[in-house]
Amino acid sequence: MRGIPHLRWWIVGLICAGTIANYLARNSLGVLAPELKTVLHMTTQQYSYVVGGFQLAYTVMQPIAGMIVDRIGLRAGFALFGAAWSVANMLHALAAGWLGLVFFRTLLGAFESAAIPSGIKAIAEWFPARERSVAVGWFNAGTSLGALLAPPVVAIVMIYTDWRMAFVVTGAVGLLWSLAWWAFYRSPGAHPAITEKERALIAEGRPKPVARRATAREILTTRRFWVIAVPRFLAEPAWQTFSFWIPIYLATERGMDIKQIALFAWLPFLAADLGGVLSGYFSPFLVKRFHLPLITSRVTGVALAAVLMIAPGCIGLVTSPYVAIALFCIGGFAHQVISVLINTLSADVFTAEEVGVANGFVGQAGWTGGLLFSLLIGQLADTVGYAPLFGMLSVFDILGAIVLIAGLRHLRLPESVK
């Protein structure tokens, strides 16, 4: 096969497409939540259990999924999980009540948990350290693009058919992507379309293969893991809130119907896309312009974004729904900067052989925070309102940035890529 120049960036595009399919399926529930609460007679608390089923399964399965992908390889592992989450999402159409939704949502969470560890592992394999933040930024854009597409796609399908078909359509997208991944993905060493120049560039920027892959226990006992995992635990509640609760918040507290939600609920995710992509270039800019060390440049970006996260914490202070959406947009932008740079750090400080498991555990820490906060929303939103809960998100991210700054000395690149 003739070599394709810059093939690694095409690989990022393929990963991004998978993440779009993943988040399109994931966020279909949030868009449909106002309708499902009516037709399935769900309370806000019961809806939080539906969300919690997904989050619990996702939380538990992330390191397990990372181990499976590390064992059977990215090509087979990512394709297998992609097909499984697509089928699980389509099965939501069979739900007859909120308990049925909990069951199918739990299946979806278990299978979708492989997406981020797989994407980070692929980037660790295909990119030298100096390019990883840019690659993660474009890959991470898929999370926002999927969330951005969910409101209009789901609303259009539901308006012309019903809520059951919305789950079927959003699930079918993932099946098509799984076939594409299986057909086109190979590792750099085995891909027939890679040029020798690019193969040498990738090899030059990677640490030497380790003789023995670190065990899960060894990863969990390192300080570098906890320096990354604690900020992720504190940051993830914001994204879970945006993904699962913005539509229902706009419906209950701002009086929007499904058409208005379709018109406006995607805007924070458009801003999140911008934040995810720009954050990838921000770290190299700091290295080049201010001569910061690579790891320090990542932490600096997280700290600046944490300050911007004050904006969504102020939503309870505004009366206009459009100003509230604007503050959500600032929050979406800021959160994706944090998410990209923390995920990049896990690819920086762990080797390619162990990053799938390590990032899975980091993700598990984050989703534990997201799960606990979603359950808190379910318990308190109908009594105290959403405003104080959004305020807590700002505090969480600032605390996470402080932890990352304090632990900076424990984050180091592998010796061969310094």
Side-chain angles (χ1 to χ4, degrees), residues 16 19-20 135-147 269 272-274 276-277 336 340:
C16 182
T19 314
I20 291 171
V136 173
W138 283 104
F139 146 57
N140 211 61
T143 65
S144 305
L145 278 171
F269 301 106
D273 266 334
L274 183 62
V277 172
Q336 286 302 83
V340 165

Side-chain angles (χ1 to χ4, degrees), residues 70-254:
D70 279 344
R71 288 289 180 185
I72 69 177
L74 269 170
R75 185 187 178 211
F78 211 173
L80 178 65
F81 277 103
W85 87 54
S86 301
V87 172
N89 194 71
M90 297 169 79
L91 289 174
H92 282 52
L94 302 178
W98 72 272
L99 285 173
L101 275 182
V102 170
F103 175 75
F104 295 126
R105 205 69 187 167
T106 301
L107 285 181
L108 181 68
F111 296 131
E112 283 206 344
S113 64
I116 302 301
S118 296
I120 294 297
K121 182 177 176 65
I123 286 170
E125 287 189 352
W126 274 89
F127 285 85
R130 65 180 180 273
E131 293 182 342
R132 281 183 194 150
S133 67
V134 178
V136 173
W138 283 104
F139 146 57
N140 211 61
T143 65
S144 305
L145 278 171
L148 180 156
L149 290 171
V153 169
V154 170
I156 289 170
V157 174
M158 195 183 78
I159 289 169
Y160 287 99
T161 56
D162 59 15
W163 65 268
R164 298 181 190 276
M165 186 55 64
F167 283 120
V168 173
V169 170
T170 53
V173 173
L175 286 177
L176 295 176
W177 175 83
S178 298
L179 292 173
W181 178 264
W182 175 259
F184 297 115
Y185 183 81
R186 302 291 188 280
S187 66
H191 207 294
I194 192 172
T195 63
E196 288 304 318
K197 180 179 179 181
E198 186 167 23
R199 197 193 309 272
L201 173 68
I202 294 169
E204 179 185 355
R206 289 187 61 191
K208 297 177 181 178
V210 295
R212 185 181 68 85
R213 182 186 291 115
T215 65
R217 182 177 181 179
E218 288 169 341
I219 290 171
L220 290 173
T221 54
T222 61
R223 291 183 178 179
R224 56 183 171 161
F225 169 79
W226 291 104
V227 170
I228 298 173
V230 171
R232 180 69 186 275
F233 172 84
L234 293 166
E236 192 63 27
W239 191 243
Q240 302 304 310
T241 303
F242 289 4
S243 296
F244 298 124
W245 292 94
I246 283 182
I248 203 167
Y249 165 76
L250 294 176
T252 57
E253 294 213 359
R254 300 294 179 171

Side-chain angles (χ1 to χ4, degrees), residues 6-29:
H6 310 296
L7 179 62
R8 64 193 183 280
W9 296 106
W10 290 97
I11 295 296
V12 167
L14 187 58
I15 300 168
C16 182
T19 314
I20 291 171
N22 184 283
Y23 271 74
L24 179 62
R26 181 181 309 188
N27 283 60
S28 57
L29 176 72

Side-chain angles (χ1 to χ4, degrees), residues 181-356:
W181 178 264
W182 175 259
F184 297 115
Y185 183 81
R186 302 291 188 280
S187 66
H191 207 294
I194 192 172
T195 63
E196 288 304 318
K197 180 179 179 181
E198 186 167 23
R199 197 193 309 272
L201 173 68
I202 294 169
E204 179 185 355
R206 289 187 61 191
K208 297 177 181 178
V210 295
R212 185 181 68 85
R213 182 186 291 115
T215 65
R217 182 177 181 179
E218 288 169 341
I219 290 171
L220 290 173
T221 54
T222 61
R223 291 183 178 179
R224 56 183 171 161
F225 169 79
W226 291 104
V227 170
I228 298 173
V230 171
R232 180 69 186 275
F233 172 84
L234 293 166
E236 192 63 27
W239 191 243
Q240 302 304 310
T241 303
F242 289 4
S243 296
F244 298 124
W245 292 94
I246 283 182
I248 203 167
Y249 165 76
L250 294 176
T252 57
E253 294 213 359
R254 300 294 179 171
M256 293 186 175
D257 60 24
I258 186 68
K259 292 181 181 179
Q260 291 173 310
I261 290 172
L263 285 173
F264 294 106
W266 58 274
L267 289 172
F269 301 106
L270 178 63
D273 266 334
L274 183 62
V277 172
L278 290 182
S279 65
Y281 293 96
F282 186 63
S283 176
F285 169 77
L286 292 177
V287 171
K288 183 177 180 179
R289 181 68 178 82
F290 297 100
H291 308 292
L292 293 182
L294 188 64
I295 298 296
T296 304
S297 72
R298 317 279 204 225
V299 175
T300 301
V302 172
L304 293 174
V307 175
L308 289 179
M309 277 299 296
I310 294 172
C314 297
I315 284 174
L317 303 178
V318 302
T319 56
S320 168
Y322 306 108
V323 176
I325 290 169
L327 294 176
F328 273 132
C329 289
I330 297 173
F333 177 93
H335 173 81
Q336 286 302 83
V337 172
I338 294 171
S339 178
V340 165
L341 294 177
I342 289 179
N343 274 324
T344 305
L345 281 171
S346 67
D348 287 334
V349 303
F350 292 99
T351 67
E353 291 79 11
E354 63 192 14
V355 71

